[in-house]
């Protein structure tokens, strides 16, 4: 793993590149399943664009594993709550009604994703909702020195299905038709 997302220069570059990108449409889908004022954890808040949209409807806690992104998040949103959390271990004792991430979990290997799913299950209240986006495709690559794991519908369902009932799994376009997947799920009563 490289330092991209971890240095001031790369974080500033990412913020510029992503300035027009946001998950507003994804959050509208989440709104159908998760009532207003729910406690939501965002994993990998990055520039904080989606954090700001989520902040309109939810009791939102932002997080990232990059201290550089966290210091940007805190300085641009002084009243916000932000935690330094790794998506794999989610090392917090707090509980949430929802967990959201937009183009973050593709940085995890399959094994790390499974570990993350288990932790998400643990830190969600009953009937908790997850909402995550992924790059669609097969295999993995290193892009800008970062690990990128692509996913297709069926294997993704297999990863989540022991812990979450899949409520929605659909293609959408980030840059091109069907280059992305959105998954929304509900915590199962018991792990299977
Ligand atoms: C592609 S950016 C997406 C940022 C933001 N969600 C957005 O939509 O613009 C990936 C983000 O995930 C964070 N990230 C990468 N690996 C992570 C991990 N293992 N745990 C927590 N955050 C991670 C990065 O620091 C970065 O903020």
């Amino acid at each position: 793993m490289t330092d991209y997302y971890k240095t001031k220069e790369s974080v500033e570059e990412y913020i510029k590149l992503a300035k027009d990108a946001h998950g507003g449409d994804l959050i509208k889908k989440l709104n159908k399943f998760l009532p207003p004022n729910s406690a939501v954890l965002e994993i990998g808040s990055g520039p904080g664009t989606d954090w700001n949209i989520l902040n309109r409807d939810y009791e939102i806690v932002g997080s990232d594993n990059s201290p550089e992104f966290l210091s940007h998040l805190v300085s641009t949103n002084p009243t916000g709550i932000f935690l330094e959390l790794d998506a794999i271990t989610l090392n917090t004792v707090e509980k949430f009604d929802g967990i959201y991430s937009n183009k973050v979990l593709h940085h995890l290997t399959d094994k790390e994703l499974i570990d993350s799913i288990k932790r998400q299950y643990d830190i969600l209240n009953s009937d908790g909702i997850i909402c995550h986006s992924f790059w669609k495709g097969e295999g993995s690559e290193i892009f800008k020195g970062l690990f990128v794991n692509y996913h297709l519908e069926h294997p993704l369902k297999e990863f989540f299905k022991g812990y979450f009932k899949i409520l929605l799994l659909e293609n959408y376009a980030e840059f091109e038709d069907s280059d992305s997947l959105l998954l929304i799920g509900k915590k199962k009563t018991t792990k299977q």
Side-chain angles (χ1 to χ4, degrees), residues 4 9 16 29 32 40-41 46 57 62 77 79 91 93-94 97 100-101 112 116-118 131 137 149 154 170 181-182:
Y4 199 78
E9 295 69 33
K16 265 191 213 149
K29 303 248 159 135
K32 292 186 186 153
V40 176
L41 172 70
D57 295 322
N77 307 283
T79 57
N91 190 11
V93 291
E94 289 189 41
D97 306 311
Y100 171 90
S101 75
E112 289 169 341
S116 175
I117 292 167
K118 290 180 185 163
C131 177
N149 202 4
H154 180 69
E170 64 181 28
L181 283 170
L182 177 68

Side-chain angles (χ1 to χ4, degrees), residues 18-76:
K19 73 175 170 28
D20 298 325
H22 63 82
D25 288 346
L26 313 184
I27 294 166
K28 274 190 200 143
K29 303 248 159 135
L30 170 64
N31 293 157
K32 292 186 186 153
F33 299 100
L34 191 63
N37 301 318
S38 300
V40 176
L41 172 70
E42 181 183 17
I43 301 174
S45 300
T49 316
D50 288 8
W51 181 91
N52 270 289
I53 302 172
L54 291 160
N55 191 36
R56 294 175 200 154
D57 295 322
Y58 298 118
E59 297 295 322
I60 178 77
V61 172
S63 73
D64 211 285
N65 73 342
S66 155
E68 275 302 332
F69 267 125
L70 283 170
S71 96
H72 166 82
L73 288 161
V74 170
S75 67
T76 48

Side-chain angles (χ1 to χ4, degrees), residues 85-110:
L85 286 184
D86 193 284
I88 306 161
T89 50
L90 295 171
N91 190 11
T92 174
V93 291
E94 289 189 41
K95 292 263 185 178
F96 301 92
D97 306 311
I99 302 178
Y100 171 90
S101 75
N102 186 6
K103 297 290 166 63
V104 175
L105 300 181
H106 63 279
H107 291 306
L108 308 189
T109 64
D110 289 354

Side-chain angles (χ1 to χ4, degrees), residues 3 6 9 34 38 44 46 50 62 71 98 117 120 137 142-143 148 155-157 163 169 171-172 188 190:
D3 283 343
K6 298 281 168 72
E9 295 69 33
L34 191 63
S38 300
D50 288 8
S71 96
I117 292 167
Q120 292 180 41
I142 305 290
F143 180 73
V148 177
L156 208 49
K157 259 190 205 165
Y163 300 85
L169 181 54
N171 294 280
Y172 71 95
K188 287 188 167 177
T190 50

